[in-house]
Amino acid sequence: ASTLAAAAQQSGRYFGAAIAAGKLGDSQYTTIANREFDMITAENEMKINATEPNQNQFNFSSGDRIYNWAVQNGKRVRGHTLAWHSQQPGWMEAMSGNSLRQAMINHINGVMNHYKGKIYAWDVVNEAFADGNSGGRRDSNLQRTGNDWIEVAFRTARAADPSAKLCYNDYNIDNWSWAKTQGVYNMVRDFKQRGVPIDCVGLQSHFNGNSPYNSNYRTTIQSFAALGVDVQITELDIQGGSATTYANVVNDCLAVPRCTGITVWGVRDSDSWLGANTSPLLFDGNGNKKAAYTSVLNAL
Ligand code: XIL
């Protein structure tokens, strides 16, 4: 195979990228994105502040630009994200208690209904666990509505669009020995035992000096999969851009049948939220394939 998507398809997987609506007029960007990737995530355009800027006034203009570009080019779409402590519109940041809980439910219904039947998988809840050694939930206005907010989000999502896979997505849950990973693992196990609808776990996989790739990543993927959920690598970037580490990530996914796909969080280094100087992606700022690209292609 000569592209990432075609190479991933050889094992029934996808290879995706985060795409920004504001760059769809950049022909170098769209040429690479269209050629190499077969799954698209909106980098910001389907987040809460983008889709419901004023309460109960939904706006899908930017999200639809991404969605339409993807589908017109034969690609599937991951939805990102419905319930999150970050990138909330001001009106939601100011809310608490039962009114916030109802606003979360209304938001999930509004966005999922607009994209009903069109999304491969939704990141229903994003980044709900705390960093550090507690293994517990992150404090947030959503968490303060009650510990059941995550399962309410998932039950709401299942009813809104039964055709979408429903994912829990987080960072720093890649390293099996970390308390945060174990906290999420215990939640997913509990959800499966109690019949709370969940289909997948997204490992964001932003690797850097403080949270480096660890060889127990494969154990993490295997362990989640053994609970009966798919695993997706949803926001991969590697600061420093090590070709070896990129290959390790791909090999770990390919070792687990229920690891269904990999998404990188941007196209060129110059598109990365981390800044081009960290060299985290597969194409350089001129759109050239990096050593990491070849490493990934060969590993797939
Ligand atoms: C980032 C985007 O890349 C930036 O453009 C934005 O300013 C902030 O959010 N975890 C996530 C993503 O789930 O939504 C974040 O995306 C990166 C970390």
Side-chain angles (χ1 to χ4, degrees), residues 43-44 47 80 84 87 126-127 204 206 235 265 273:
E43 187 175 2
N44 289 295
K47 292 175 178 175
H80 177 78
W84 190 21
Q87 291 184 265
N126 198 33
E127 301 182 346
Q204 291 186 9
H206 296 291
E235 305 184 14
W265 204 243
W273 70 307

